[in-house]
Amino acid sequence: MKNNQALIPIYDMAACIPGTNFIIKKTEGNSVPSYMAIPHRHADYKISFLVEGEVTHYTDFEKYTIKAPALLMLAPDQVHQQTGNSYYKMMHISFNKEFLLTETQGVLACWECMFSQVVLPVMNVEQMQEISVYVDLMYQEFKDDKPQKGLILKNLLNAFIICAGRLVNCKNETVAEAPAPVVTMDYSQNRIVRQFKSLIDENFVNATQVTQYADMLYVTPGHLNDLIKTVTGKTAKQIIDERRILEAKRLLFWGEHSVKEIAGRLNFEDDAYFNRFFKKHTGNTPALFQRTIREKYN
C-alpha cells in the first residue's frame, strides 16, 4: 500500500511486487478479504472478472449488486468497497497505464467509456468463453517463469481489453451531439487530451487554473480549451473543477472528516470558500451532500 498521508488508503501493486506493472490473482470463498472490505483506492487500473456467485460493490457513490458472469471496471483513484457473505469466485487483473495504452490508443475508441460503466455484464456463452480464455492464459503465464513472460502478458492483456470492449455500449441516446471519440483525432490532439486528464489527476489539488496545465503541456490556454471542448463538450476549467468536486464527494462520503479538514486537504483558502465552491457546482452544501448520500446507502 502507498499512503502519502492519504485520508483513504491507496493500494499500489508496485508495493506488493516491486517493479511490476501487471498482476493477476484469484479470490474465492464465502467472505470478502479484509483489505477489500474497507473503503480504498488503487493506484492502477483494475478489472475483476466475477466468474461465479454474487457480490455487492460500492464504487464512489453507487451501490452495485453484481451477478456472475460480469466484469467490474475500476479506474485509478476510484474509491470502492466489496461486501457480501455468499460464495463467489473472482479473477483480479491490475495494470498501469504504460502497460496498455501505448498498444491500444489507435484501436480502442471506448477506453474511457469502458471504465465509466463500472459493471459490464457478460451476456452469453460465447462472450463468457472469450473472456475466460484470455483470463486463463494470463493467469497461467503470470504463474510460470518463462522467457519473454512480460511481452506475452502485455499482448494477452491488450487482446483481453479489446475483447472486453465488445461488451461496452458507448452510445448515449440522450445526447444529440456526442463528443467525438478521442481516437478519431490526430495523434498530437489525442496525446494532449490524455496528458491533460492525467495531469489533472496528479495536480488538481494545487493546480486549479487552465493556464497552469497549458504551461505543463506547452500550449496556449486558448488552444487547450478549444481542444478539450471539442472532445468532451466541456471547457478545460469545467474538467478541472469537476475533478476537485469528485474528490470532495469521495472524502465526504467515505471518510470521517470534517468539512474544514477536507477543505484544507483540497487546498481551499478556507472552509467558507469550499462551501461556496461545492454548492455552486452541486446545488448542495458539503454537509447536506454528506448526510443525503449516507442516508441513501446506510
Side-chain angles (χ1 to χ4, degrees):
M1 177 195 297
K2 77 173 185 180
N3 195 319
N4 296 340
Q5 298 181 333
L7 297 181
I8 299 171
I10 303 175
Y11 298 148
D12 187 345
M13 62 181 175
C16 300
I17 305 177
T20 191
N21 47 20
F22 176 90
I23 289 177
I24 181 169
K25 62 181 180 179
K26 180 191 303 183
T27 59
E28 182 177 8
N30 295 307
S31 62
V32 176
S34 58
Y35 72 92
M36 294 174 62
I38 63 171
H40 62 281
R41 315 177 196 238
H42 290 272
D44 312 286
Y45 288 93
K46 182 178 179 182
I47 302 176
S48 295
F49 179 30
L50 180 60
V51 182
E52 298 177 31
E54 177 180 310
V55 297
T56 299
H57 207 276
Y58 293 84
T59 301
D60 281 337
F61 325 111
E62 297 294 333
K63 177 182 179 181
Y64 301 89
T65 300
I66 310 170
K67 296 182 180 180
L71 295 179
L72 174 63
M73 316 292 290
L74 294 170
D77 290 331
Q78 283 187 299
V79 184
H80 56 280
Q81 174 187 25
Q82 184 175 315
T83 63
N85 296 313
S86 58
Y87 174 79
Y88 74 97
K89 177 181 178 182
M90 296 183 83
M91 302 294 294
H92 306 279
I93 303 159
S94 298
F95 56 93
N96 61 26
K97 188 183 299 185
E98 290 73 21
F99 200 67
L100 175 70
L101 290 187
T102 53
E103 300 293 325
T104 61
Q105 59 184 320
V107 178
L108 189 61
C110 267
W111 170 257
E112 291 181 336
C113 182
M114 286 176 65
F115 283 87
S116 67
Q117 292 192 208
V118 183
V119 177
L120 302 180
V122 179
M123 304 301 295
N124 54 54
V125 174
E126 181 181 357
Q127 291 177 345
M128 178 70 173
Q129 290 174 338
E130 284 186 345
I131 295 295
S132 297
V133 165
Y134 288 114
V135 171
D136 291 343
L137 285 171
M138 285 188 287
Y139 187 65
Q140 188 60 50
E141 187 67 30
F142 185 73
K143 289 195 304 179
D144 294 340
D145 188 15
K146 296 180 179 179
Q148 302 298 323
K149 173 179 176 177
L151 181 60
I152 291 175
L153 283 171
K154 187 169 186 176
N155 281 278
L156 285 171
L157 178 62
N158 277 267
F160 168 70
I161 288 290
I162 295 171
C163 178
R166 296 170 178 167
L167 307 179
V168 178
N169 176 15
C170 291
K171 296 179 180 179
N172 188 342
E173 304 295 343
T174 64
V175 179
E177 295 182 6
V182 171
V183 295
T184 65
M185 312 189 73
D186 65 41
Y187 176 80
S188 63
Q189 291 174 322
N190 184 8
R191 175 180 55 82
I192 291 173
V193 171
R194 288 189 291 107
Q195 287 181 340
F196 174 67
K197 292 182 177 181
S198 179
L199 286 170
I200 290 176
D201 285 336
E202 295 170 4
N203 301 284
F204 69 91
V205 171
N206 297 311
T208 62
Q209 302 302 318
V210 176
T211 54
Q212 293 170 286
Y213 291 96
D215 289 344
M216 296 179 201
L217 293 166
Y218 303 102
V219 297
T220 66
H223 176 69
L224 178 60
N225 194 64
D226 289 345
L227 178 57
I228 298 303
K229 192 166 186 179
T230 297
V231 176
T232 68
K234 301 175 183 178
T235 66
K237 187 64 167 71
Q238 284 177 303
I239 301 296
I240 297 167
D241 288 346
E242 285 177 357
R243 184 62 181 86
R244 300 178 79 195
I245 288 293
L246 175 60
E247 187 67 15
K249 286 181 174 180
R250 286 169 170 169
L251 296 177
L252 286 164
F253 178 61
W254 291 102
E256 298 296 333
H257 317 291
S258 68
V259 171
K260 184 174 183 178
E261 184 180 5
I262 293 172
R265 184 75 180 185
L266 297 181
N267 207 26
F268 284 90
E269 295 174 6
D270 52 45
D271 52 329
Y273 177 54
F274 173 55
N275 271 276
R276 293 194 300 272
F277 181 87
F278 193 91
K279 188 171 184 178
K280 173 185 175 182
H281 289 277
T282 69
N284 295 316
T285 65
L288 179 59
F289 168 81
Q290 185 179 60
R291 184 169 65 251
T292 303
I293 197 71
R294 289 185 175 183
E295 287 175 353
K296 179 179 178 180
Y297 290 120
N298 296 323

